[in-house]
Amino acid sequence: MIKEDEVYKIGRIGKPHGISGEVTLRFSDDVFDRVDADYLVLMVDGILVPFFIEEYRFRSDEVALVKFEDIDTKDRASELTGCDVFFPRHLADAGDDVLTWSQIVGYDIVDVLSDKTIGRIEAVDETTINTLLELSDGTLIPAADEFIEDIDHEERKLMMRLPEGLVNS
């Protein structure tokens, strides 16, 4: 069984495209194109389920048309509409030199000066000019390169040197 901490969200399935089972995938991370992956993981009725990719093509910088194995009709494809799409962390870590903000959701932020865990990253807000890391308690931390010291993928920690007063100690 696939666990939520083994994957990270990269998008959501939209409407079916055509009649042969193809679906639209609105994605925030194109890791499935950069890393040799045979499958994507969809959240279906609260369960993470692998779906093997038969083929895909890009429609824009944010949308791909995807054909999954054994999804051969518009009706079968429509059952996937609205499903969140995830990518396996182990495939992204092993085969991709590009780190995306989506990959660090679920990581703990550790302040290197105090060696204290500040909180867990719940979401990343890229809607403003400055990317913000949203912690589980609602705290927002700027994702500035000058604050990031190191990333430990094995321990799932983002080591940061945060300015004094940015977070409550």
Side-chain angles (χ1 to χ4, degrees), residues 99-113:
L99 178 69
T100 63
W101 293 120
S102 302
Q103 283 177 263
I104 64 168
V105 170
Y107 280 37
D108 288 327
I109 293 180
V110 177
D111 182 25
V112 295
L113 298 177

Side-chain angles (χ1 to χ4, degrees), residues 1-134:
M1 187 151 115
I2 301 171
K3 297 182 179 112
E4 283 194 53
D5 65 346
E6 297 172 339
V7 296
Y8 66 96
K9 186 176 175 182
I10 63 165
R12 180 176 220 119
I13 299 292
K15 299 184 299 185
H17 180 79
I19 60 170
S20 63
E22 203 170 39
V23 294
T24 57
L25 165 60
R26 180 165 297 280
F27 59 89
S28 59
D29 186 341
D30 66 351
V31 65
F32 62 93
D33 189 48
R34 296 189 318 269
V35 174
D36 188 24
D38 297 331
Y39 65 97
L40 295 174
V41 179
L42 277 59
M43 180 71 78
V44 180
D45 296 328
I47 300 169
L48 292 169
V49 180
F51 281 80
F52 288 87
I53 302 168
E54 195 170 294
E55 63 182 358
Y56 66 91
R57 65 187 189 276
F58 290 99
R59 189 169 210 184
S60 72
D61 289 344
E62 298 175 344
V63 176
L65 300 175
V66 180
K67 173 72 173 74
F68 293 113
E69 290 181 7
D70 300 323
I71 304 294
D72 296 325
T73 66
K74 184 176 180 178
D75 289 340
R76 287 283 319 245
S78 66
E79 293 172 10
L80 302 178
T81 298
C83 289
D84 287 332
V85 180
F86 298 84
F87 195 79
R89 287 187 188 277
H90 74 277
L91 291 177
D93 293 346
D96 193 8
D97 293 332
V98 177
L99 178 69
T100 63
W101 293 120
S102 302
Q103 283 177 263
I104 64 168
V105 170
Y107 280 37
D108 288 327
I109 293 180
V110 177
D111 182 25
V112 295
L113 298 177
S114 66
D115 201 33
K116 288 185 178 177
T117 299
I118 305 301
R120 176 155 292 156
I121 302 169
E122 292 293 320
V124 178
D125 181 357
E126 296 181 80
T127 60
T128 63
I129 194 163
N130 297 315
T131 300
L132 299 170
L133 306 174
E134 184 179 333

